[in-house]
Amino acid sequence: MDDAWWDSMTSWETPNAGRCWWGWGWVRELKREPMLAAGAPIRPPSVDEAARTLRHPRIPLESLPLNLKSVCTVHPFERLLHSRGRDFVDIVECIQGSLSDPTDLVAFPKTEHDIANILRFCSQHNAAAVPFGGGSSVVFGVNPPRESEAYCGTITIDMFYFNQVLEVDEESMSVRVQAGMYGPNLEKQLKQRGLTLRYFPQSFEFSTVGGWIATRGG
């Protein structure tokens, strides 16, 4: 498993550049794992190989109004990454390279107004809206609804750009942050003030504040 093989497992041109599409971790770090570097009995498909099995988006990007088209993508890597969480069953499906019911579009809103527009579009067109933080769910929380549920399509809403600390109250030891803030980023910003989150779930590196709240983590 050389560098070229690992590089084929990710994208270097999209918001989640560098992440492995089918499993936990960053490609640059997986390359250094002794067990993986020596070879493995499995060979997951590359992004290009897996993309050949992806269903054509049921919501064409071209059909979106301009204000949504600018924040949405049909890039194969992002669609693959956002179609499954990190449960054992999810990872096995990814390794097998055949994902049923993949997400159709991935949105990367930058403002609350963007989110409102996406949700309004989904409501008006009977499309499913799936929120996505770090994608570390092991309870199928980010998996798109099955086709049998009769939605016209699925838009996964990645909170990638909602990653700011908005307010810190050192007297009450509380903080207000945006939902897309990853654990390491939050801890880094708090340390600048001599504070710590003091909450380190197993999924810390690849989970977000929004996901912790939604799943009642901690």
Side-chain angles (χ1 to χ4, degrees):
M1 295 183 177
D2 56 18
D3 285 358
W5 186 86
W6 279 113
D7 287 346
S8 73
M9 299 297 155
T10 190
S11 162
W12 302 107
E13 58 191 28
T14 62
N16 287 294
R19 288 188 60 175
C20 178
W21 82 263
W22 51 264
W24 289 90
W26 299 97
V27 164
R28 65 175 182 272
E29 295 174 358
L30 292 172
K31 289 179 183 180
R32 298 195 292 267
E33 286 290 333
M35 290 181 62
L36 296 175
I42 58 170
R43 290 192 66 86
S46 66
V47 171
D48 287 344
E49 290 170 335
R52 297 187 194 117
T53 69
L54 277 177
R55 176 182 60 201
H56 190 74
R58 293 170 296 172
I59 306 174
L61 189 63
E62 299 76 17
S63 70
L64 299 179
L66 289 177
N67 62 342
L68 293 188
K69 190 185 300 184
S70 63
V71 298
C72 290
T73 182
V74 292
H75 193 287
F77 166 73
E78 295 293 353
R79 289 186 66 203
L80 289 166
L81 179 69
H82 290 81
S83 290
R84 291 294 184 272
R86 289 298 175 260
D87 177 80
F88 176 76
V89 173
D90 289 329
I91 293 175
V92 169
E93 286 187 0
C94 290
I95 290 173
Q96 290 177 338
S98 181
L99 299 183
S100 60
D101 304 305
T103 193
D104 298 285
L105 298 172
V106 181
F108 291 95
K110 296 183 179 179
T111 67
E112 292 180 7
H113 189 62
D114 288 340
I115 295 176
N117 286 335
I118 295 167
L119 294 178
R120 185 178 300 111
F121 176 89
C122 289
S123 178
Q124 293 173 346
H125 294 82
N126 190 38
V130 178
F132 188 100
S136 61
S137 174
V138 293
V139 293
F140 312 117
V142 299
N143 295 31
R146 297 194 178 279
E147 190 169 0
S148 60
E149 296 186 42
Y151 289 103
C152 78
T154 298
I155 300 179
T156 298
I157 305 173
D158 192 316
M159 301 297 288
F160 182 87
Y161 291 109
F162 285 75
N163 58 3
Q164 300 298 312
V165 171
L166 302 178
E167 182 181 357
V168 176
D169 186 334
E170 297 188 20
E171 183 173 349
S172 64
M173 299 295 285
S174 60
V175 60
R176 187 165 66 95
V177 304
Q178 292 180 308
M181 176 76 74
Y182 280 79
N185 189 15
L186 177 55
E187 185 68 12
K188 178 180 178 181
Q189 294 193 43
L190 290 178
K191 279 188 175 180
Q192 295 172 0
R193 297 171 176 265
L195 303 173
T196 181
L197 179 64
R198 215 172 68 171
Y199 173 63
F200 303 98
Q202 189 175 19
S203 59
F204 184 72
E205 185 178 2
F206 294 105
S207 58
T208 62
V209 173
W212 301 340
I213 295 172
T215 57
R216 300 182 182 181

